[in-house]
Amino acid sequence: MKKAPFVAMSAVTALLGTALGALALQLRANGYEQYVESVATFSVLMYVTAALVVVTWVRDGRPHSN
């Protein structure tokens, strides 16, 4: 497979994780504590998803054996 879809998907997912992390910090600063845990959890989930996309890309690049 080509590299571009994996790189783009990983970058966008990591960017979303960063944006959600910033939102969680802003929510905490504004006193919306009840939402911070959910947003922070989703942020971490986006980082894990980005890492798994990279692992898939690496594994896809290896030669296949039948």
Side-chain angles (χ1 to χ4, degrees):
M1 267 189 161
K2 294 183 180 179
K3 181 166 64 168
F6 290 109
V7 173
M9 179 67 166
S10 181
V12 168
T13 307
L15 184 64
L16 179 60
T18 303
L20 288 170
L23 176 62
L25 292 174
Q26 189 65 37
L27 287 172
R28 180 170 302 222
N30 290 339
Y32 293 102
E33 290 291 330
Q34 67 268 25
Y35 303 113
V36 171
E37 184 178 353
S38 297
V39 174
T41 300
F42 195 64
S43 173
V44 170
L45 181 64
M46 290 299 99
Y47 282 120
V48 170
T49 303
L52 289 175
V53 169
V54 170
V55 168
T56 303
W57 171 48
V58 169
R59 289 181 55 98
D60 184 64
R62 296 183 356 202
H64 301 286
S65 61
N66 291 334

